Amino acid sequence: MRISKEDEKAPENNFGEDESNSIGNQRKLLSGFLKKKQEFAESTVFQYIDDGYSGTEFERPGFVEMMGDIKKGKIQCVIVKDFSRFGRDYMEVGDYIEHIFPFMQVRF
């Protein structure tokens, strides 16, 4: 989950006062998706959040942590709301989707 611009803080989103509305909305959307898909019923879910970071940069804390967990073999599938939440550099996004993740046996 990622948002680059400072969003209005919303304590009522039940995810903490420091989390933006957009991150809370992405979390709800992805949670709903996972609940609908039987294939993820027994899966462990890890959440990586880059609240306030630009998608043009891939050296974001949450992204770096996620890639570390992928390298450790903890993750077999990455799910995002849309490509822009993964990154804004579409050439690099394409490289991850077409080359890096398949090489690492990770589904996107």
Side-chain angles (χ1 to χ4, degrees), residues 39-57:
E39 66 186 289
F40 298 115
E42 302 297 319
S43 298
T44 301
V45 176
F46 299 96
Q47 297 180 16
Y48 303 92
I49 301 168
D50 287 316
D51 197 349
Y53 287 86
S54 171
T56 59
E57 183 63 46

Side-chain angles (χ1 to χ4, degrees), residues 1-7 13 15 19-35 45-55 60 78-88 108:
M1 293 173 270
R2 183 193 66 74
I3 178 110
S4 60
K5 295 183 179 175
E6 188 63 32
D7 199 1
N13 68 15
F15 303 120
E19 185 174 278
S20 70
N21 281 326
S22 180
I23 294 293
N25 290 336
Q26 288 176 60
R27 184 189 312 275
K28 288 178 190 175
L29 181 85
L30 295 170
S31 237
F33 173 80
L34 291 172
K35 287 178 184 173
V45 176
F46 299 96
Q47 297 180 16
Y48 303 92
I49 301 168
D50 287 316
D51 197 349
Y53 287 86
S54 171
R60 308 182 307 261
V78 174
I79 301 171
V80 296
K81 176 185 172 245
D82 59 47
F83 289 155
S84 71
R85 298 304 88 202
F86 184 74
R88 291 277 187 183
F108 184 83

